Amino acid sequence: MPEQKDKAPSDPRLPPLLAGHRRPACEHPFDAAVSGAEAGRYSAGDLLWSESRSHLRIALVLEPDVPPTRCAEMLFLAMVASTDAIGTLIPPEVALTYVWPATLRANGARVGRARFRQSADLDEEGAPLWLVVGIEMRLAPVGGDVEPGEIPHLTSLSDEGAADLDGTLAVEALARHLMTWLHTWEVEGFGPVFENWLFRADGYKGEVVLPDPDGDLRGTFLGLDEAGNLLLRPMDAEPVTVVAVPLDRHLDQLDRLDSLDAALALHSEVTDR
């Protein structure tokens, strides 16, 4: 008898204000959402999700009525929503944390990341025409010739005890928690998002090393400013010296480092059969 292929995942049930769009496993929903928003095919409330079984990948198009300097708040909101959502579906002993600017960790190893892009064009009120936030996490163990422990800085939710996690349920949970946090943000502002992000931030109030194109930055991680820049007290500096490390520069740096990491390429590779 011919081998039966796994059925494609069922469509998730999304909150009423969201419109779901299935994307093939080989395509990144974030890239599709950005190009679609630029072309006017997607607008506020469109949620793109991947049918991949090896990865959880979603992207949400938003049109918040805020100036460009505040749009990065959505990046941190997406991270907070993602850990709240996934935390309800995995064993409670799994510690979900963040590494600034946009890395997601499970028990100290990278499990995924968040992404963010906003329109350079503004409306009549000075707000970007659109912005896109994306979340991606590795569900399945890394395949190929990788041996357990060979890439200790990378992990999957399956490796951390969530082998039975259903991707469709994860997309549904992400959608619900994104809407909940968006409502909180609209009513209470960025404060609750800020506090919850710092609560899970690795290195907060401790010594950190930040990769930088001009050389690693070392110092004490004091927090974030209103634009999402990391507040750093450089090592050997006067106690009152605080540097705002720019978010956009380090998001670009994260993208560059990701593109050069061969192990991460395996981690990001879709292994659906």
Short mmCIF file of all heavy atoms in Angstrom, two decimals, residues 2 11 18 23-24 30 35 38 75 78 85 87 94 114 133 157 160 169 185 192 222 226 229 237-238 262 265 268:
data_model
loop_
_atom_site.label_atom_id
_atom_site.label_comp_id
_atom_site.label_asym_id
_atom_site.label_seq_id
_atom_site.Cartn_x
_atom_site.Cartn_y
_atom_site.Cartn_z
N PRO A 2 0.48 2.30 -0.72
CA PRO A 2 1.28 3.52 -0.72
C PRO A 2 1.29 4.17 0.65
O PRO A 2 0.32 4.09 1.40
CB PRO A 2 0.56 4.41 -1.75
CG PRO A 2 -0.85 3.89 -1.78
CD PRO A 2 -0.74 2.42 -1.56
N ASP A 11 -7.32 24.48 10.07
CA ASP A 11 -7.29 25.93 10.28
C ASP A 11 -7.58 26.25 11.74
O ASP A 11 -8.52 25.70 12.33
CB ASP A 11 -8.32 26.62 9.40
CG ASP A 11 -7.92 26.63 7.93
OD1 ASP A 11 -6.77 26.24 7.63
OD2 ASP A 11 -8.75 27.02 7.09
N LEU A 18 -9.71 38.92 13.92
CA LEU A 18 -8.57 38.48 13.11
C LEU A 18 -9.06 37.65 11.92
O LEU A 18 -10.02 36.90 12.01
CB LEU A 18 -7.61 37.63 13.95
CG LEU A 18 -6.96 38.32 15.15
CD1 LEU A 18 -6.00 37.36 15.85
CD2 LEU A 18 -6.24 39.59 14.73
N ARG A 23 -0.23 29.78 5.16
CA ARG A 23 0.91 29.87 4.26
C ARG A 23 1.62 28.52 4.22
O ARG A 23 1.63 27.79 5.22
CB ARG A 23 1.90 30.95 4.73
CG ARG A 23 1.30 32.32 4.97
CD ARG A 23 0.51 32.83 3.78
NE ARG A 23 1.28 32.84 2.54
CZ ARG A 23 0.76 33.13 1.36
NH1 ARG A 23 -0.54 33.38 1.25
NH2 ARG A 23 1.53 33.13 0.28
N PRO A 24 2.20 28.16 3.09
CA PRO A 24 2.89 26.86 3.00
C PRO A 24 4.08 26.79 3.93
O PRO A 24 4.66 27.82 4.32
CB PRO A 24 3.30 26.79 1.53
CG PRO A 24 3.31 28.20 1.06
CD PRO A 24 2.25 28.91 1.82
N PHE A 30 6.11 35.96 8.10
CA PHE A 30 6.52 37.35 8.33
C PHE A 30 6.87 38.03 7.01
O PHE A 30 6.42 39.16 6.74
CB PHE A 30 7.70 37.40 9.29
CG PHE A 30 8.20 38.79 9.57
CD1 PHE A 30 7.54 39.61 10.46
CD2 PHE A 30 9.33 39.28 8.92
CE1 PHE A 30 7.99 40.91 10.71
CE2 PHE A 30 9.78 40.58 9.16
CZ PHE A 30 9.12 41.38 10.06
N SER A 35 5.50 41.94 2.66
CA SER A 35 5.31 42.23 1.24
C SER A 35 3.84 42.47 0.93
O SER A 35 3.50 43.35 0.12
CB SER A 35 5.88 41.10 0.38
OG SER A 35 5.20 39.88 0.65
N GLU A 38 2.85 45.95 2.23
CA GLU A 38 3.40 46.98 1.34
C GLU A 38 2.56 47.11 0.07
O GLU A 38 2.38 48.21 -0.46
CB GLU A 38 4.84 46.63 0.98
CG GLU A 38 5.84 46.83 2.11
CD GLU A 38 7.24 46.41 1.72
OE1 GLU A 38 7.38 45.50 0.87
OE2 GLU A 38 8.21 46.99 2.28
N LEU A 75 6.74 44.99 19.18
CA LEU A 75 7.71 43.90 19.22
C LEU A 75 7.72 43.25 20.60
O LEU A 75 7.66 42.01 20.72
CB LEU A 75 9.10 44.42 18.88
CG LEU A 75 10.27 43.44 19.06
CD1 LEU A 75 10.19 42.32 18.04
CD2 LEU A 75 11.60 44.18 18.96
N ALA A 78 4.46 41.43 21.39
CA ALA A 78 4.38 40.11 20.75
C ALA A 78 5.17 39.07 21.53
O ALA A 78 4.74 37.92 21.66
CB ALA A 78 4.88 40.20 19.31
N ALA A 85 1.23 32.66 25.95
CA ALA A 85 0.45 31.67 25.21
C ALA A 85 1.08 30.29 25.29
O ALA A 85 0.41 29.30 25.64
CB ALA A 85 0.31 32.10 23.75
N GLY A 87 3.31 29.22 27.33
CA GLY A 87 3.43 28.78 28.71
C GLY A 87 2.22 28.02 29.20
O GLY A 87 2.32 27.20 30.13
N VAL A 94 9.31 24.45 32.30
CA VAL A 94 10.07 25.06 31.20
C VAL A 94 10.09 26.57 31.41
O VAL A 94 9.05 27.23 31.47
CB VAL A 94 9.45 24.73 29.83
CG1 VAL A 94 10.23 25.41 28.72
CG2 VAL A 94 9.40 23.22 29.62
N ALA A 114 11.41 36.91 17.77
CA ALA A 114 10.36 37.79 17.29
C ALA A 114 10.91 38.66 16.17
O ALA A 114 12.13 38.88 16.08
CB ALA A 114 9.84 38.67 18.43
N VAL A 133 4.33 42.31 13.12
CA VAL A 133 5.11 41.59 14.12
C VAL A 133 5.03 40.10 13.80
O VAL A 133 4.01 39.61 13.30
CB VAL A 133 4.60 41.85 15.56
CG1 VAL A 133 4.93 43.26 15.99
CG2 VAL A 133 3.11 41.56 15.68
N LEU A 157 10.85 23.20 21.39
CA LEU A 157 9.87 22.95 22.44
C LEU A 157 9.73 21.45 22.69
O LEU A 157 9.50 21.03 23.82
CB LEU A 157 8.52 23.56 22.04
CG LEU A 157 8.50 25.11 22.03
CD1 LEU A 157 7.17 25.62 21.50
CD2 LEU A 157 8.75 25.66 23.43
N GLU A 160 12.32 20.29 25.05
CA GLU A 160 12.09 20.75 26.41
C GLU A 160 10.86 20.12 27.05
O GLU A 160 10.37 20.61 28.06
CB GLU A 160 11.99 22.28 26.43
CG GLU A 160 13.21 23.00 25.89
CD GLU A 160 14.50 22.64 26.62
OE1 GLU A 160 14.43 22.35 27.84
OE2 GLU A 160 15.57 22.63 25.98
N LEU A 169 -3.29 24.39 17.94
CA LEU A 169 -3.64 24.94 19.26
C LEU A 169 -2.69 26.07 19.65
O LEU A 169 -3.10 27.05 20.29
CB LEU A 169 -3.63 23.85 20.31
CG LEU A 169 -4.70 22.77 20.19
CD1 LEU A 169 -4.56 21.75 21.33
CD2 LEU A 169 -6.10 23.38 20.22
N TRP A 185 -2.71 47.00 26.21
CA TRP A 185 -1.89 48.12 25.72
C TRP A 185 -2.75 49.33 25.38
O TRP A 185 -2.40 50.47 25.70
CB TRP A 185 -1.09 47.65 24.52
CG TRP A 185 -0.29 48.69 23.81
CD1 TRP A 185 0.95 49.16 24.15
CD2 TRP A 185 -0.67 49.40 22.63
NE1 TRP A 185 1.36 50.13 23.25
CE2 TRP A 185 0.38 50.29 22.31
CE3 TRP A 185 -1.80 49.37 21.81
CZ2 TRP A 185 0.34 51.13 21.20
CZ3 TRP A 185 -1.84 50.21 20.71
CH2 TRP A 185 -0.79 51.07 20.42
N PRO A 192 2.35 47.86 31.41
CA PRO A 192 2.25 46.43 31.75
C PRO A 192 3.09 45.53 30.84
O PRO A 192 3.67 44.54 31.30
CB PRO A 192 0.76 46.14 31.57
CG PRO A 192 0.09 47.46 31.79
CD PRO A 192 1.03 48.47 31.19
N LEU A 222 20.25 47.81 32.74
CA LEU A 222 19.41 48.55 33.69
C LEU A 222 17.94 48.53 33.34
O LEU A 222 17.09 48.79 34.20
CB LEU A 222 19.89 49.99 33.78
CG LEU A 222 21.33 50.22 34.24
CD1 LEU A 222 21.66 51.71 34.22
CD2 LEU A 222 21.55 49.64 35.63
N GLU A 226 11.64 54.24 26.55
CA GLU A 226 10.31 54.19 25.95
C GLU A 226 10.33 53.73 24.50
O GLU A 226 9.29 53.36 23.94
CB GLU A 226 9.63 55.56 26.06
CG GLU A 226 10.30 56.68 25.29
CD GLU A 226 11.49 57.29 26.02
OE1 GLU A 226 11.79 56.82 27.14
OE2 GLU A 226 12.11 58.22 25.47
N ASN A 229 15.01 50.83 23.44
CA ASN A 229 16.46 50.78 23.50
C ASN A 229 16.90 50.23 24.86
O ASN A 229 16.26 50.49 25.88
CB ASN A 229 17.06 52.17 23.29
CG ASN A 229 16.62 52.80 21.98
OD1 ASN A 229 16.59 52.15 20.95
ND2 ASN A 229 16.26 54.08 22.04
N ALA A 237 32.62 52.52 33.88
CA ALA A 237 32.13 53.88 33.70
C ALA A 237 31.70 54.46 35.04
O ALA A 237 31.52 53.74 36.03
CB ALA A 237 30.96 53.91 32.72
N GLU A 238 31.51 55.75 35.07
CA GLU A 238 30.99 56.39 36.27
C GLU A 238 29.58 55.87 36.56
O GLU A 238 28.83 55.55 35.63
CB GLU A 238 30.96 57.92 36.09
CG GLU A 238 32.32 58.55 35.93
CD GLU A 238 33.15 58.43 37.19
OE1 GLU A 238 32.56 58.44 38.29
OE2 GLU A 238 34.38 58.31 37.08
N ALA A 262 25.56 28.75 10.99
CA ALA A 262 25.22 27.51 10.29
C ALA A 262 24.32 26.61 11.12
O ALA A 262 23.40 25.98 10.60
CB ALA A 262 26.50 26.76 9.91
N ALA A 265 20.88 27.84 10.95
CA ALA A 265 20.24 27.51 9.68
C ALA A 265 19.54 26.16 9.76
O ALA A 265 18.43 25.98 9.25
CB ALA A 265 21.28 27.51 8.56
N SER A 268 16.43 26.56 11.85
CA SER A 268 15.35 27.25 11.16
C SER A 268 14.80 26.46 9.98
O SER A 268 13.77 26.83 9.42
CB SER A 268 15.85 28.62 10.66
OG SER A 268 16.31 29.42 11.73
#
